[in-house]
Amino acid sequence: MVTAVLVSHDGARWLPDALAGLLGQERPVQYAMGADTGSADASAQLVTDALGADRVLHLARRTGFGQAVEEAGRMAPVLTPDDLPYLKRPELPHGEPVQWLWLLHDDCAPEPDALAQLLRVVENEYELGRDDVAVVGPKLRGWYDRRQLLEVGVSIAHSGRRWTGLDRREQDQGQHDHVRPVLSVST
């Protein structure tokens, strides 16, 4: 079960692409929430128009991303197997659904298969016996130059410094398409 949380803050310029990406997923989310942090532009209205007034929180301008996610997560319903009929089909396992949060900024533009790919990684890790997966993240590319890699996860170098594994202005040629453990991913 996936609940998407889209946090907006003066992002009207990018929100149409972010909302289209969220709502156009091949594997849709079960629930989507928006949290606008006091935008001075049309962000709050764009998110409300797309998700519905009952699914958008209007928070103070000083609200940070983490606090906005926490508030939206608190407001989102917890769905049970009764709410998800696909769990009752005989070819799928029964039981409580695994709850995932998909965190999105107002300036992201997920590809139509982004969520399916992220969940596929989790399923593959589970099949390999690695059931301790807590966070997965995609590679991030530039807004204006979609070939430029911005992040593929963050680790720590032997010197103790933050290490992204990317060269400056590195272009995406599929070289980071494999799954690898990292310490963190971008929100």
Side-chain angles (χ1 to χ4, degrees):
M1 207 277 311
V2 178
T3 297
V5 177
L6 174 66
V7 179
S8 61
H9 182 84
D10 292 338
R13 177 179 185 182
W14 304 285
L15 269 169
D17 287 341
L19 289 163
L22 167 59
L23 299 174
Q25 288 298 300
E26 294 168 2
R27 192 290 191 190
V29 299
Q30 279 69 41
Y31 199 81
M33 287 285 305
D36 184 75
T37 58
S39 293
D41 63 7
S43 294
Q45 190 61 51
L46 288 167
V47 175
T48 301
D49 291 347
L51 302 180
D54 60 327
R55 292 183 180 214
V56 179
L57 297 175
H58 300 275
L59 304 170
R61 189 162 179 83
R62 68 184 180 280
T63 306
F65 184 83
Q67 186 180 2
V69 168
E70 183 179 357
E71 292 293 326
R74 194 179 358 257
M75 299 299 294
V78 175
L79 301 179
T80 67
D82 292 333
D83 300 314
L84 304 168
Y86 65 85
L87 287 177
K88 296 183 179 189
R89 294 196 335 234
E91 67 271 13
L92 292 175
H94 300 286
E96 291 296 318
V98 176
Q99 306 281 334
W100 286 98
L101 281 177
W102 189 23
L103 307 181
L104 302 163
H105 285 264
D106 54 18
D107 64 346
C108 70
E111 296 289 331
D113 65 341
L115 182 57
Q117 295 278 355
L118 291 170
L119 293 173
R120 194 169 298 121
V121 167
V122 172
E123 289 172 15
N124 290 343
E125 292 296 303
Y126 284 175
E127 287 175 9
L128 294 171
R130 299 181 195 127
D131 58 356
D132 60 348
V133 177
V135 177
V136 293
K139 63 182 173 184
L140 300 181
R141 295 180 297 186
W143 186 263
Y144 298 108
D145 179 0
R146 299 290 169 107
R147 294 170 299 162
Q148 182 182 354
L149 288 170
L150 300 178
E151 187 175 297
V152 293
V154 178
S155 290
I156 297 176
H158 294 294
S159 64
R161 294 183 145 197
R162 179 181 188 271
W163 184 70
T164 64
L166 295 176
D167 292 327
R168 182 171 152 75
R169 301 180 88 41
E170 186 171 339
Q171 298 292 298
D172 184 9
Q173 300 172 19
Q175 70 273 32
H176 296 285
D177 286 355
H178 59 282
V179 175
R180 65 184 177 98
V182 294
L183 295 177
S184 69
V185 297
S186 175
T187 60

